[in-house]
Amino acid sequence: LKEVLESRSIINSSPEIFFEEIAPILTDDPFLLSALDCAAHDLFCKSKLISLSKYWNNKNPKQLLTNYTVSIGSSDEMISEILLNPWPVYKLKMSPDELPYLNQIKKNTKAKLRIDANTSWSIQDVLDNQNLLLDSGVELLEQPLGRDKWAQMEELFKLIDLPLIADESCTTLSDIKTCQSRFHGVNIKLPKCGGLIKAREMIKAARDIDLRIMIGCMSGSSISMAPLYHLAQNSDFVDMDGAILLKEDIAVGPKIHNGIVSMKDMPGVGFVIKPEFEF
């Protein structure tokens, strides 16, 4: 890996060729693979003085709408977080125990709601609360069952009218086909799949079988959010609030105001490290 990184093949060739060189070395480390892949795209595009969107022939990237994530807590804690952060769409982390909070939450916001179950529900939990979810205007339900509950998800898919989005069940390209007839869409996250090249392959495969696309994130600075702006241009749902949830961001990247994500046209993936964090 050191030899590849020192070869400067990123600038001399392309991010795709660089990826082909490092991917076999990092098959068991998608986080590091993703970091190097994103860095390669950034360095290559900066060397050509173009943005990542222009490299991908998307010359007019649009503003995006991202949700704001509300963590599991008491009813008062969740409502307080919503009131302190007015937003047009929220992702609520909820176990079945928190579902009764929905009625009270809806009294305090007119925003769209998405629910992330993080594998903590059962089929019966979903069916018992389907009317509550629909009446509350819930837009989608993310990963209700465990990652490998394929048979149960296939059964649930036939019984529920609410869009089901795979997260933990969809981390690699091979998962896409398995998600068909079990989920309505997939949440693609760069650190889980191995970077931009893998993510774009997954998006194409998902579109080919009519699955909807969510571009998601984990907690991270604007350095990790910036590539998502370009990747999410043709997505159905966007979850890229990871940087605004940090106490301190080490970089300046995509701007988010009232849920609307925008970015200046600049070379690279679209971030600048703050001077106090440069090294």
Side-chain angles (χ1 to χ4, degrees):
L1 180 59
K2 182 180 178 182
E3 292 177 359
V4 174
L5 295 177
E6 290 176 345
S7 71
R8 296 184 64 81
S9 62
I10 304 169
I11 294 178
N12 296 334
S13 53
S14 70
E16 290 77 15
I17 292 176
F18 175 73
F19 185 85
E20 289 178 3
E21 294 177 352
I22 63 171
I25 305 171
L26 297 171
T27 54
D28 297 323
D29 197 341
F31 276 59
L32 179 55
L33 180 59
S34 173
L36 291 173
D37 178 53
C38 290
H41 280 82
D42 186 54
L43 181 58
F44 179 82
C45 290
K46 283 177 177 174
S47 74
K48 305 300 182 184
L49 299 179
I50 58 173
S51 68
L52 179 56
S53 282
K54 287 183 178 177
Y55 179 60
W56 286 343
N57 292 318
N58 182 8
K59 298 180 180 179
N60 296 297
K62 62 185 180 182
Q63 293 181 331
L64 305 170
L65 175 65
T66 181
N67 55 228
Y68 181 95
T69 302
V70 178
S71 299
I72 286 180
S74 68
S75 175
D76 289 343
E77 288 171 335
M78 296 181 79
I79 291 170
S80 176
E81 191 168 357
I82 286 170
L83 294 177
L84 286 172
N85 301 279
W87 218 257
V89 55
Y90 296 100
K91 177 190 275 194
L92 309 177
K93 300 278 188 175
M94 281 188 159
S95 71
D97 293 339
E98 282 77 46
L99 278 171
Y101 303 164
L102 275 176
N103 287 327
Q104 193 62 30
I105 288 173
K106 285 302 295 182
K107 292 178 181 178
N108 286 273
T109 181
K110 295 182 179 179
K112 293 180 180 179
L113 302 178
R114 301 168 181 171
I115 292 185
D116 186 357
N118 279 122
T119 75
S120 66
W121 297 18
S122 67
I123 287 183
Q124 203 58 48
D125 289 327
V126 181
L127 297 179
D128 288 348
N129 292 282
Q130 180 174 192
N131 289 338
L132 172 61
L133 297 172
L134 294 172
D135 292 345
S136 300
V138 171
E139 187 177 30
L140 59 85
L141 176 59
E142 187 176 342
Q143 197 66 48
L145 309 185
R147 166 179 166 78
D148 298 319
K149 302 291 186 181
W150 296 113
Q152 293 182 46
M153 278 305 308
E154 190 167 5
E155 179 183 352
L156 182 60
F157 182 85
K158 298 173 183 177
L159 297 173
I160 191 170
D161 296 324
L162 191 67
L164 301 168
I165 305 298
D167 184 1
E168 286 82 358
S169 291
C170 188
T171 58
T172 66
L173 181 62
S174 61
D175 291 328
I176 295 291
K177 184 65 176 177
T178 314
C179 285
Q180 189 178 29
S181 301
R182 295 174 175 90
F183 293 92
H184 300 89
V186 294
N187 186 352
I188 297 174
K189 296 178 179 177
L190 295 181
K192 288 187 177 183
C193 73
L196 291 164
I197 289 174
K198 286 293 185 181
R200 296 185 80 197
E201 290 177 354
M202 291 176 70
I203 289 172
K204 182 182 184 305
R207 289 299 191 202
D208 286 346
I209 56 175
D210 295 324
L211 286 176
R212 301 170 81 178
I213 305 296
M214 172 184 277
I215 297 301
C217 72
M218 305 171 87
S219 294
S221 72
S222 287
I223 296 174
S224 60
M225 296 304 114
L228 303 184
Y229 174 79
H230 309 278
L231 189 66
Q233 286 297 311
N234 296 310
S235 66
D236 302 292
F237 310 106
V238 179
D239 173 20
M240 54 177 293
D241 61 346
I244 63 175
L245 300 177
L246 299 179
K247 183 176 181 180
E248 186 171 28
D249 191 355
I250 67 171
V252 177
K255 290 187 176 181
I256 304 179
H257 180 68
N258 291 333
I260 303 299
V261 187
S262 60
M263 182 186 283
K264 291 182 178 179
D265 183 19
M266 66 175 73
V269 301
F271 70 86
V272 176
I273 297 176
K274 294 177 180 177
E276 60 268 34
F277 293 104
E278 291 181 347
F279 57 88

